[in-house]
Amino acid sequence: MPFSICVFCGSAPGADPAFAEAARTVGREIARRGWTLVYGGGSVGLMGILADAALAEGGRVVGVIPRFLYEWEVGHDDLTELEIVETLTERKVRMGDLADAFLSLPGGIGTLDELFEALSWAQLGLEQKPNGLLNVSGYYDSLIGF
């Protein structure tokens, strides 16, 4: 499998249009580089924008979504692959297994949970994968300051 990057981001578009543009740009660029996008499998919000942009460029997109979210009809059925798991914890572990690196875009509590899980794995020596934070319009300024 080619290089794969797991992108964490919101299931809502966010208040700033720059968030959606960043998701579009990241999705397109991942596909243009021939990388595989791994993400949370959603069709809505920044997740949907990210995946659709990668797919529009002919990219390979792998989604991982818990069954309950899929059943709420927020799963993206037009992906290269969509894996359905049982829990949010299984989702994070599976995305981590599939990815060579992580990137976090703006998002809410779920995105922060995913970001901190991946950082914890690195701190504990469970993996040695790069983990980036895209600070769109200063979204993560307070977190970076912390």
Side-chain angles (χ1 to χ4, degrees):
M1 179 157 70
F3 181 82
S4 61
I5 184 164
C6 178
V7 177
F8 304 131
C9 61
S11 59
D16 188 335
F19 301 162
E21 188 52 38
R24 242 182 247 102
T25 300
V26 168
R28 282 193 302 254
E29 191 58 33
I30 288 170
R32 287 178 183 162
R33 291 173 183 247
W35 298 349
T36 296
L37 167 62
V38 176
Y39 85 113
S43 62
V44 296
L46 297 181
M47 284 198 292
I49 293 166
L50 171 79
D52 288 342
L55 290 166
E57 291 292 326
R60 183 170 187 271
V61 181
V62 177
V64 182
I65 192 166
R67 183 174 310 284
F68 75 92
L69 289 178
Y70 185 78
E71 291 172 354
W72 286 356
E73 299 181 354
V74 298
H76 200 312
D77 287 319
D78 297 322
L79 305 177
T80 311
E81 292 178 35
L82 180 63
E83 295 187 20
I84 299 175
V85 297
E86 295 306 314
T87 67
L88 289 167
T89 300
E90 286 179 64
R91 176 200 226 178
K92 289 183 290 190
V93 170
R94 183 64 181 140
M95 288 190 301
D97 288 344
L98 292 169
D100 297 310
F102 302 99
L103 176 64
S104 295
L105 276 60
I109 297 298
T111 302
L112 291 172
D113 175 53
E114 293 163 336
L115 165 65
F116 284 116
E117 183 85 18
L119 289 172
S120 295
W121 294 336
Q123 185 178 34
L124 295 170
L126 299 175
E127 60 183 44
Q128 307 268 313
K129 298 176 182 178
N131 195 333
L133 188 66
L134 188 58
N135 190 22
V136 180
S137 296
Y139 185 83
Y140 286 114
D141 283 353
S142 295
L143 178 62
I144 292 167
F146 175 74

